[in-house]
């Protein structure tokens, strides 16, 4: 579940849109110590690289909780899955909690259904 902010709005810290308008990544801070990375559109080989950059810059000890909201993702490749696995390793190393919210994204759920249950234990 995506955390709700304590105040009326999220503090937007970063927004990125790929050159073709297929993917948008927003980084928000709904409350101190929590980072929300909201992804819309397609995660393929090209856009997964930017997702990697964003997640690597946000996952660390200063962020006790990182939530990745994939509910609006329409295409999700193995490159995107690799980005999430790398983020999980970073979070484990930093002692941060990583949560992946698949929301209603059929593309993400379809790929996650093929994985062993323990691959991404924080996915819902």
């Amino acid at each position: 579940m995506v955390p709700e902010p304590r105040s009326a709005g999220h503090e937007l810290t970063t927004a990125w849109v790929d050159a073709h308008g297929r993917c948008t990544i927003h980084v928000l801070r709904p409350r101190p110590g929590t980072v929300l990375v909201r992804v819309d559109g397609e995660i393929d080989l090209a856009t997964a690289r930017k997702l990697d950059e964003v997640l690597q810059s946000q996952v660390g000890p200063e962020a006790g909780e990182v939530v990745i909201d994939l509910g609006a993702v329409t295409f999700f490749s193995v490159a995107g899955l690799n980005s999430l696995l790398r983020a999980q390793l970073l979070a484990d190393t930093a002692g941060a909690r990583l949560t992946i919210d698949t929301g209603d994204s059929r593309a993400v759920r379809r790929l996650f259904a093929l994985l062993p249950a323990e691959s991404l234990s924080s996915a819902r």
Side-chain angles (χ1 to χ4, degrees), residues 38-96:
R38 187 169 284 151
V39 184
D40 299 311
E42 300 178 6
I43 299 296
D44 57 18
L45 186 58
T47 57
R49 290 182 182 129
K50 185 61 180 184
L51 180 60
D52 263 342
E53 288 176 26
V54 169
L55 293 175
Q56 287 178 21
S57 71
Q58 299 301 317
V59 176
E62 64 283 347
E65 179 178 24
V66 177
V67 178
I68 305 171
D69 178 0
L70 301 175
V73 170
T74 56
F75 178 81
F76 192 73
S77 73
V78 172
L81 177 62
N82 286 330
S83 294
L84 299 180
L85 291 170
R86 282 188 287 275
Q88 182 67 62
L89 288 172
L90 284 172
D92 290 347
T93 301

Side-chain angles (χ1 to χ4, degrees), residues 10-27:
H10 295 286
E11 177 191 338
L12 178 65
T13 58
T14 308
W16 176 82
V17 180
D18 80 313
H20 304 289
R22 297 174 303 175
C23 180
T24 305
I25 301 172
H26 292 278
V27 177

